[in-house]
Amino acid sequence: MTALIEVTLSWLFKNAKGRDAKSFYTHPAFADFQDKREIVVTAPEIGPTNSKLNVEYTHDGAGKFPTLHWEAPAHIAGQVQEWLLVSEDPDAPLPTPICHGIYTGIPATKTGVENKDFEVEDSSKALLKGGFHYGRSRNGNVYIAPRPLMNHGPHRYFFEVIALKEPLDPNLLTATTTREQIAEAIVGKVLGWGIKLDELVQEIQSIKQSVNGQATSLPNQGAGYEPLAFKESNTQRLGVPSPISVSAAPEVRPPAVTTTTPATVAPSSIIHTPTSIPLIHTPGAEPVLARALGSHPFSGDDIDYYFQKYFEFYHPYMPIVQIRDPNKCYESGKLLFWAIIYIACRRYAKSPKILPFLLESLKKDASTAISIIPLSIASINALVLLCTWIFPDVRFVNDPSSLFSSVCMNTALQLGIHTGKGAHPEYSHGVFQNSFSDEEASFTWAGYNIIAQRVSSYMGIPPLGGLFNQTVQNIIDGRTAFQVPSTFRVLLECQKFCNHLSKTMVACLEESRGVSPHVVQLLEDEWTAIKGLICSERADDLDNFNALLVQLEIQTYYLIPMPGYNPEALKRNVLRAYSTAQAVIRGCLELEQSMGFLRHLPHFHFRALLAAGCVVYRLLRSSYRDDVVAAGGEQSASDAIAACRRATIMEGDLPMRLGNLLESWQERLPYVRDDDRNLPPVSAFCHRLGASVAFDCMTRWKTDHQQQQCRSRSCAPIGASIGSAVSGAPTTATQQPGGGETPAAGGMLAGAVGGDPLQNIDWTFMDDFDWSFEPVMPALGVPT
């Protein structure tokens, strides 16, 4: 009944909106500043104008206050004594805008606020933890989260930052001070809010989100279920623009109404601009239709929710999908549609059974799709996305990405996608018909090239046909008729160089069992010059991180020296690679703090984290350990484990198994034998390219445990060919991840510890390697 009354009121007052003329910034205090707005305000968590606010920032979610940052122009920055922040809704069906919050006494040195700043420190003084005070909102709360009337249409939420040249009267810093009292008190004290408040309006002022009613529950959705995910932090997404800003104007879709839910729905909301900049609506947008995959139904509300999550958190890393409407996406290709749902469910599944069900279904659908030639461009995009966020239960060496990328290459070439042209007449014949646009062709081809090169790098195989032709170069150079996100262009440039690196190293390793350090140094210098061009002052943290990964991939080849290498030169170069690996691990955690990077980690970035971890652990178990700061190395080892834990999305996935493996190494580090210290960290693999160090580390780990297993049974080592039978080959201690060290030398604890000394070892990660073979490696010190 309450909902019915609310919808009725919304209909009666549907035209009672747009009270902009009575907004806070129209008071006399702003008379001299209406056409002079200079303060720049941004909302990194929300994005640019017309972006949508997530449910967590609304009354129906956590009601969080969005993070805001602002900057005053130089000519007034030194005069600012205090900041004032006002939040209001001019579209409420009332004579004046609703005051959602007013905040006074913000120190001049504070140029941003976040959600935790609005926790009450001292209610008697109306003091918040951010160091400023709160006045009276409409209902007396510190902050009223957005919650418009049902079906009242889009509402706008203004966040206005005002610079004051004089502090407010302390008597006004109370919880009962009203918006009107503050407006009178600041007359003559306003330094400006300037023309950039138009940008504030565009980017922040009218924050709105489509807040649908409770989505239809799936049959197996239990009450109180929380998906396997870390608590979402209140962080900005550096370098990852809001998906709404990447291309087209946002679609404002009315929420779908299903037969299993009431016919009343909550209103939608979007970021809006003042009346001088009209809101762009999508006329005649259709409700999102319900779909079913096998036995699982998905309501229109749930599908809309998953698409929003995908385009907000995942799409910026691989922005190849140009169709954002769920209905149109389903029509273009079911595999792409369900791939998007699966990717969103990696972190945001509404039921614990959805992700396993989608995994099982998508594996079958993908296998069926690649057997039917030709694939549509939508199916190619689906396979590229699946390579980017591969199935979480994939094994280390049976990753299907190489198969998927090969199929993509074959079909892309036959459809003429590599030309970057849609409906190319020379490639449209028979069953190979193409009706896609130039934009779709270019994005798809760029995405394929990125994936093909990453697969080549982390699998340690020659490039799988990544052409990086003129179409790719045009995208990198910005010579396209459509907009391409700068982060995507930087990533593409990085992979183009990696392709050049892989081809060079394949040629070098065909002639010898190692790489000359001079060749590696030349490639380093070449990349440094390119990095200086693409990572300018405008480059964000993600751009710099991608460039750092290229540097690590280059320096990894220092660990594959040619026979007869110079020991001092090797040490110098390997220590540089070690420092870069530390920076990569540290960068992962920093990006996680700033943009939730590890929560939405692409598979190729996880493989880079694996490579960095292997470089660190390889050095710490070598003769170079005394040449680095012990505390720093141990911290990097711990950080690598922490990053794996953060990237875990389900029990037993690849990040979790890698974390278990790294833990076993870390606990063994204090017990490294003297024999290990006398050997440099040289990889015994020389034909697995950039993945050689990872394969070397994994095989050593396995060998250690095989030898220790034999020692615990008082028998000769299984890996005799790589143990005592090989001159200079080490025998090492075996560490159990669950605790319990079994040193190799002298069996110090072997006889003292009862039971099976390997009973607590987590072997799941090493299941990726065939235990039926014995790893025969050359002398581990000097490759021959």
Side-chain angles (χ1 to χ4, degrees):
M1 180 60 71
T2 302
L4 180 60
I5 294 173
E6 185 171 340
V7 172
T8 302
L9 291 174
S10 295
W11 179 78
L12 291 173
F13 297 102
K14 63 180 180 180
N15 295 322
K17 299 171 66 176
R19 311 298 188 187
D20 300 51
K22 296 186 178 181
S23 295
F24 186 81
Y25 61 81
T26 63
H27 282 73
F30 297 86
D32 297 331
F33 301 93
Q34 290 300 313
D35 297 319
K36 185 182 179 183
R37 306 171 187 176
E38 299 172 330
I39 298 176
V40 178
V41 185
T42 57
E45 293 172 337
I46 309 306
T49 184
N50 290 328
S51 296
K52 294 182 179 180
L53 189 64
N54 294 336
V55 170
E56 64 184 313
Y57 299 102
T58 69
H59 179 273
D60 296 281
K64 294 166 59 176
F65 196 101
T67 297
L68 305 178
H69 296 297
W70 60 82
E71 181 181 356
H75 69 276
I76 68 169
Q79 306 175 52
V80 178
Q81 296 295 311
E82 200 171 85
W83 298 100
L84 172 66
L85 174 60
V86 179
S87 173
E88 55 185 359
D89 173 10
D91 292 321
L94 296 171
T96 59
I98 285 182
C99 179
H100 281 252
I102 186 164
Y103 309 97
T104 56
I106 301 176
T109 56
K110 190 176 182 67
T111 57
V113 293
E114 53 187 353
N115 185 60
K116 64 182 181 181
D117 290 339
F118 296 85
E119 297 176 9
V120 177
E121 178 75 21
D122 188 346
S123 58
S124 64
K125 299 179 181 178
L127 181 64
L128 300 175
K129 289 187 177 180
F132 51 90
H133 301 265
Y134 62 94
R136 179 173 177 77
S137 64
R138 182 168 181 82
N139 64 4
N141 292 341
V142 174
Y143 174 63
I144 306 173
R147 200 292 192 191
L149 284 174
M150 289 184 179
N151 285 4
H152 196 243
H155 276 219
R156 299 165 299 153
Y157 293 87
F158 291 359
F159 291 81
E160 301 148 29
V161 177
I162 301 98
L164 302 179
K165 58 185 176 183
E166 296 178 22
L168 287 173
D169 185 340
N171 293 326
L172 293 175
L173 306 182
T174 68
T176 58
T177 303
T178 65
R179 169 180 174 273
E180 288 70 28
Q181 288 175 305
I182 296 295
E184 293 179 4
I186 64 173
V187 173
K189 298 182 180 180
V190 176
L191 273 174
W193 66 308
I195 194 168
K196 279 298 181 181
L197 272 182
D198 272 343
E199 294 186 14
L200 167 63
V201 172
Q202 294 170 16
E203 295 179 12
I204 303 172
Q205 267 193 343
S206 324
I207 298 181
K208 235 170 135 36
Q209 156 74 15
S210 268
V211 184
N212 295 335
Q214 293 298 322
T216 305
S217 298
L218 292 172
N220 55 7
Q221 183 173 335
Y225 162 68
E226 293 184 3
L228 175 61
F230 295 92
K231 182 178 179 182
E232 191 156 2
S233 57
N234 183 21
T235 55
Q236 69 184 64
R237 296 185 297 281
L238 294 179
V240 184
S242 169
I244 302 298
S245 67
V246 174
S247 57
E251 295 183 356
V252 183
R253 290 188 295 272
V257 181
T258 65
T259 57
T260 57
T261 56
T264 56
V265 291
S268 62
S269 6
I270 55 172
I271 287 187
H272 191 56
T273 61
T275 53
S276 58
I277 306 178
L279 175 65
I280 301 176
H281 293 276
T282 302
E286 297 180 356
V288 178
L289 300 178
R291 307 287 180 183
L293 180 62
S295 60
H296 270 270
F298 289 78
S299 71
D301 287 341
D302 287 338
I303 291 172
D304 194 38
Y305 166 79
Y306 289 132
F307 264 68
Q308 287 184 28
K309 291 299 183 182
Y310 168 79
F311 280 103
E312 180 177 4
F313 294 109
Y314 295 96
H315 175 79
Y317 293 102
M318 184 60 69
I320 61 174
V321 179
Q322 303 304 302
I323 302 176
R324 297 168 181 266
D325 180 83
N327 295 336
K328 295 179 180 178
C329 182
Y330 187 85
E331 294 171 0
S332 69
K334 295 180 182 179
L335 183 61
L336 176 60
F337 177 88
W338 292 116
I340 290 174
I341 299 293
Y342 145 70
I343 293 170
C345 286
R346 288 168 64 92
R347 284 291 182 188
Y348 303 102
K350 292 188 173 184
S351 164
K353 296 182 180 180
I354 294 180
L355 183 57
F357 171 78
L358 287 170
L359 283 174
E360 192 66 25
S361 298
L362 270 178
K363 288 177 183 178
K364 296 177 181 178
D365 292 346
S367 298
T368 301
I370 63 177
S371 65
I372 302 174
I373 300 297
L375 277 67
S376 66
I377 192 170
S379 295
I380 297 175
N381 285 336
L383 293 178
V384 170
L385 294 183
L386 291 179
C387 291
T388 307
W389 291 280
I390 198 63
F391 310 124
D393 58 351
V394 71
R395 313 308 296 182
F396 185 79
V397 293
N398 68 347
D399 188 335
S401 297
S402 58
L403 173 61
F404 289 168
S405 61
S406 297
V407 172
C408 289
M409 178 192 67
N410 181 41
T411 303
L413 293 175
Q414 293 189 68
L415 291 176
I417 292 175
H418 63 289
T419 66
K421 301 295 182 182
H424 198 297
E426 297 183 26
Y427 292 93
S428 185
H429 55 84
V431 295
F432 296 96
Q433 297 294 325
N434 49 46
S435 57
F436 41 81
S437 65
D438 292 0
E439 183 177 6
E440 289 174 315
S442 297
F443 271 100
T444 298
W445 181 244
Y448 156 71
N449 276 266
I450 290 171
I451 288 300
Q453 181 52 47
R454 292 324 308 147
V455 170
S456 168
S457 294
Y458 65 64
M459 294 296 289
I461 55 181
L464 299 173
L467 300 180
F468 292 92
N469 59 355
Q470 189 59 46
T471 299
V472 172
Q473 192 60 51
N474 289 340
I475 296 173
I476 293 174
D477 295 340
R479 296 196 300 266
T480 57
F482 45 84
Q483 182 180 3
V484 179
S486 60
T487 299
F488 190 57
R489 291 164 57 192
V490 170
L491 178 61
L492 198 55
E493 178 69 57
C494 290
Q495 300 320 307
K496 179 185 175 184
F497 187 87
C498 287
N499 184 260
H500 166 57
L501 169 68
S502 296
K503 291 178 178 178
T504 302
M505 292 308 173
V506 167
C508 291
L509 292 171
E510 282 183 350
E511 300 179 357
S512 63
R513 292 185 56 86
V515 179
S516 167
H518 301 294
V519 174
V520 182
Q521 184 61 59
L522 287 173
L523 288 165
E524 265 202 275
D525 295 341
E526 184 180 352
W527 174 243
T528 299
I530 295 175
K531 184 174 67 173
L533 297 175
I534 65 174
C535 292
S536 61
E537 295 180 356
R538 293 182 295 177
D540 57 31
D541 289 356
L542 187 59
D543 293 337
N544 291 319
F545 180 76
N546 283 324
L548 184 65
L549 296 184
V550 179
Q551 181 178 336
L552 176 63
E553 188 169 338
I554 298 170
Q555 293 176 345
T556 298
Y557 287 96
Y558 284 129
L559 279 74
I560 317 176
M562 297 181 67
Y565 59 82
N566 183 315
E568 288 303 317
L570 176 67
K571 178 183 291 188
R572 183 172 59 253
N573 292 329
V574 169
L575 289 176
R576 289 174 54 228
Y578 168 78
S579 298
T580 303
Q582 286 184 305
V584 167
I585 297 171
R586 199 163 52 243
C588 284
L589 295 177
E590 290 173 354
L591 285 173
E592 170 63 15
Q593 290 295 320
S594 64
M595 58 184 278
F597 175 69
L598 293 171
R599 287 175 52 81
H600 313 101
L601 189 69
H603 185 58
F604 52 76
H605 279 143
F606 166 74
R607 292 287 193 150
L609 172 62
L610 165 63
C614 287
V615 170
V616 169
Y617 277 90
R618 186 70 187 86
L619 185 138
L620 294 179
R621 288 183 58 78
S622 74
S623 60
Y624 294 176
R625 182 176 182 179
D626 295 333
D627 295 298
V628 299
V629 179
E634 293 170 1
Q635 183 61 51
S636 294
S638 298
D639 287 346
I641 296 171
C644 289
R645 300 306 185 206
R646 191 69 169 164
T648 297
I649 66 169
M650 64 181 293
E651 190 72 25
D653 65 359
L654 192 59
M656 177 176 287
R657 300 198 308 273
L658 176 60
N660 294 341
L661 176 64
L662 296 182
E663 278 187 345
S664 73
W665 278 344
Q666 184 186 39
E667 293 172 3
R668 190 189 305 160
L669 287 178
Y671 305 98
V672 177
R673 297 180 63 231
D674 291 338
D675 288 345
D676 293 332
R677 294 180 183 274
N678 294 330
L679 295 173
V682 173
S683 173
F685 287 77
C686 63
H687 291 291
R688 295 312 295 257
L689 303 178
S692 63
V693 177
F695 277 88
D696 180 82
C697 285
M698 300 304 163
T699 307
R700 288 172 186 276
W701 187 94
K702 172 185 172 180
T703 302
D704 287 349
H705 283 296
Q706 286 181 318
Q707 292 175 341
Q708 182 55 45
Q709 188 176 32
C710 286
R711 283 194 293 268
S712 68
R713 296 174 181 172
S714 301
C715 66
I718 291 176
S721 61
I722 56 174
S724 58
V726 177
S727 175
T731 56
T732 61
T734 298
Q735 174 65 38
Q736 304 174 24
E741 173 71 22
T742 310
M748 203 163 21
L749 296 179
V753 180
D756 182 3
L758 303 179
Q759 61 184 344
N760 294 323
I761 293 293
D762 177 69
W763 301 103
T764 55
F765 192 86
M766 290 309 298
D767 286 345
D768 299 326
F769 289 85
D770 184 5
W771 282 90
S772 64
F773 81 89
E774 292 186 15
V776 179
M777 295 159 52
L780 298 178
V782 182
T784 58

